[in-house]
Amino acid sequence: MRDAVSVLADQAAESLLAARQAARGVRVRSAARPVLLHRALAEMYLNRIRRAGHDLSSPRLDPDNFNRISRLLFRNFLRRY
């Protein structure tokens, strides 16, 4: 199972990176910001999966609400989607 999670996580990380590179220099409409902010959460979860050795049963995967909310607020403040 860990091998499959590793492959999926790598593919997701590549897709997120490609989306970030494609969006550079593009002005984001305010209506699209809430959707794009979820990319920050996806990156956080992918990093947690990687640090947990791709073990989806690890208790370290689920961040607390403070981490999720602060990440979204910070990214929104910096306008880094």
Side-chain angles (χ1 to χ4, degrees):
M1 183 63 136
R2 287 184 185 194
D3 291 338
V5 172
S6 175
V7 169
L8 289 173
D10 289 344
Q11 289 175 350
E14 289 174 14
S15 294
L16 287 171
L17 179 62
R20 181 177 297 278
Q21 290 173 345
R24 284 202 175 130
V26 175
R27 184 176 170 99
V28 176
R29 292 182 178 187
S30 60
R33 289 180 187 149
V35 174
L36 295 176
L37 279 172
H38 282 82
R39 184 170 54 195
L41 293 179
E43 291 169 348
M44 178 183 63
Y45 279 108
L46 287 172
N47 287 332
R48 285 175 171 266
I49 289 169
R50 193 175 306 117
R51 285 194 311 261
H54 301 98
D55 178 13
L56 296 182
S57 64
S58 174
R60 299 184 316 173
L61 293 182
D62 193 27
D64 56 27
N65 283 335
F66 176 78
N67 282 331
R68 286 190 292 255
I69 292 169
S70 62
R71 180 173 295 262
L72 291 173
L73 287 173
F74 185 71
R75 288 281 182 100
N76 190 48
F77 177 75
L78 294 179
R79 296 184 185 258
R80 291 186 62 204
Y81 311 107

